[in-house]
Amino acid sequence: MHVFPFTIVGFDLDGTLLDTSADLAAAVNHALAADGRAPLSVAAVRSMIGGGGRRMMALALAATGGSDEALLDRLNPMMIDYYAAHIAVHTTPFPGALAMLDELAAREVRIAMVTNKAEALTLPLLDTLGLTSRFATVIGGAGKPSPLPIEAMIAQCGGGPAAFVGDSHFDVDAAQAAGIPAVACAFGFLTKPVDELGADAVIEHFDQLIPMLEKL
């Protein structure tokens, strides 16, 4: 087996490793219903995911008639509470994700997660799906596109060559600002065409990730 070029590979969560869109949409629509608003489609909510729950809720309110901080302050906790109670009803790994993680582990790569999802939601979700033990470190509430959580990921994994995989400009910008390559997932919760994210590489399926990392 060839020597793998990275000792650390980090991943975003929503829209990268896991398709959480249906459960997040259900939580958003629960909060919207509390204000008498019509529900949004899963496809509509998908484009709002990536910058954290409050941003997602603010975009949902903007799309359904507008909002102010007081309304957002009232509805956002409703959305979060509903999501926490229904965190993995429809959520599944994207095709090929688990086999890819197995192969990285077989190559003794340290696997990490850095997500803007709050850690209080991230850890129960990973626990529910039986995925927690796969990660050397999990950083939630990361605040990407800041490079600081990516730098923390590298430090917590013991240092070494690292790459990061995500589906948004939050991920790409954070990785590149930290000085490591970024791989974008074309199947993710994209807010713009994947080739406009500025990633170092793009994959359309997780079968392509390890060969792509070997090229990087």
Side-chain angles (χ1 to χ4, degrees), residues 24-25 28-29 31-32 37-41 43-69 71-73 75-76 79 116 168-170 189-192:
L24 287 170
V28 165
N29 286 331
L32 291 176
R37 301 192 184 208
L40 293 169
S41 68
V45 174
R46 279 173 67 96
S47 67
M48 302 173 182
I49 300 168
R54 186 177 178 88
R55 175 182 177 274
M56 177 179 66
M57 193 69 237
L59 292 173
L61 288 170
T64 55
S67 178
D68 55 36
E69 286 299 307
L71 181 61
L72 182 57
D73 287 343
L75 295 184
N76 191 56
M79 182 273 292
N116 284 350
S168 73
H169 71 90
F170 299 107
F189 301 161
L190 302 173
T191 58
K192 62 172 69 175

Side-chain angles (χ1 to χ4, degrees), residues 61-191:
L61 288 170
T64 55
S67 178
D68 55 36
E69 286 299 307
L71 181 61
L72 182 57
D73 287 343
R74 180 169 67 87
L75 295 184
N76 191 56
M78 294 183 187
M79 182 273 292
I80 292 173
D81 289 347
Y82 184 92
Y83 181 61
H86 305 83
I87 202 161
V89 177
H90 303 291
T91 292
T92 58
F94 279 102
L98 299 185
M100 174 274 300
L101 292 176
D102 287 341
E103 187 170 350
L104 286 177
R107 294 169 182 250
E108 299 185 347
V109 173
R110 294 189 289 279
I111 302 168
M113 175 169 290
V114 180
T115 174
N116 284 350
K117 185 191 291 290
E119 207 161 279
L121 297 171
T122 298
L123 294 176
L125 175 56
L126 295 177
D127 286 344
T128 299
L129 296 177
L131 298 176
T132 305
S133 63
R134 291 177 176 269
F135 299 98
T137 189
V138 175
I139 298 173
K144 295 173 292 182
S146 167
L148 295 180
I150 304 297
E151 294 167 357
M153 172 195 82
I154 296 169
Q156 291 174 23
C157 288
F164 195 74
V165 184
D167 69 310
S168 73
H169 71 90
F170 299 107
D171 303 310
V172 172
D173 293 352
Q176 292 177 339
I180 68 171
V183 178
C185 301
F187 49 81
F189 301 161
L190 302 173
T191 58

